[in-house]
Amino acid sequence: MNESAFFDATTVDEISASLQDLTASYSQIVVLTDNHTNTLVLPLLKDYLPATFFTLTVPAGESSKTIEQAQALWKAMFDNKIDRGALLINVGGGVVSDIGGFLAATYKRGIDIINIPTSLLAMVDAAVGGKNGINWQDQKNQLGTIRCPKAIFTVSQFLDTLSFRELRAGYAE
């Protein structure tokens, strides 16, 4: 299994050069967010991504980890002619890391991923180790893959958007 490059920073500015270097060689960039990270975090990253990228957004929460949601994402990628040389960047918490990793591992027999976790729990668990999956018939993480990301970027600035409850869940992990 490949090891992921790990980048830890306080602010987005500190990861900008590394993010730009890692994304430069891909034919296309797809960014997966949930509706919260699309509003709160993606605007902070836009200046450091290639000028053109395609965004996919899922509803926040565990209800997005379904085969139906995966099918909708695959369809959007096929409809937009995302090719085998593309990179998927997952920007969000554990749900985005899980479904994004599953999506990337199964799309055109696998495309590369970068995880940019935005919750403490995702920073210490979901975005690390390559475990990806979706829920099946009300059972958590029953379908999945192991596919390590090319890189993981943790940025403590993103934790400023979290509630105390969400931070506490990460501390417990």
Side-chain angles (χ1 to χ4, degrees):
M1 197 171 306
N2 297 338
E3 282 194 34
S4 304
F6 186 79
F7 301 89
D8 186 38
T10 303
T11 67
V12 174
D13 291 338
E14 293 173 30
I15 65 166
S16 63
S18 298
L19 184 59
Q20 289 170 338
D21 287 346
L22 281 170
T23 58
S25 64
Y26 291 92
S27 61
Q28 297 163 294
I29 304 297
V30 179
V31 177
L32 177 64
T33 65
D34 67 24
N35 55 316
H36 296 307
T37 57
N38 190 56
T39 302
L40 298 171
V41 178
L42 187 56
L44 301 173
L45 292 170
K46 280 186 176 182
D47 289 342
Y48 309 114
L49 295 171
T52 58
F53 61 91
F54 179 70
T55 305
L56 297 168
T57 302
V58 297
E62 195 73 18
S63 63
S64 286
K65 287 177 47 175
T66 64
I67 193 70
E68 294 80 14
Q69 186 66 64
Q71 288 173 325
L73 294 169
W74 287 320
K75 182 178 183 332
M77 291 175 74
F78 277 107
D79 288 350
N80 286 280
K81 297 178 177 38
I82 303 303
D83 64 34
R84 176 78 176 83
L87 170 71
L88 178 66
I89 302 175
N90 298 316
V91 180
V95 168
V96 171
S97 294
D98 278 351
I99 193 166
F102 180 77
L103 178 71
T106 54
Y107 183 76
K108 296 200 175 204
R109 295 190 179 185
I111 62 173
D112 287 343
I113 54 176
I114 289 177
N115 285 335
I116 304 179
T118 58
S119 70
L120 185 55
L121 186 54
M123 289 177 184
V124 299
D125 181 40
V128 181
K131 300 178 312 279
N132 311 295
I134 59 173
N135 302 335
W136 176 255
Q137 297 183 347
D138 298 324
Q139 294 183 25
K140 189 170 174 70
N141 296 326
Q142 294 301 300
L143 302 173
T145 65
I146 301 294
R147 184 168 188 88
C148 289
K150 289 291 180 185
I152 302 160
F153 290 89
T154 59
V155 181
S156 57
Q157 174 184 4
F158 299 152
L159 300 178
D160 295 340
T161 65
L162 301 178
S163 69
F164 177 72
R165 181 174 186 228
E166 289 177 34
L167 281 172
R168 189 173 55 201
Y171 293 142
E173 186 69 25

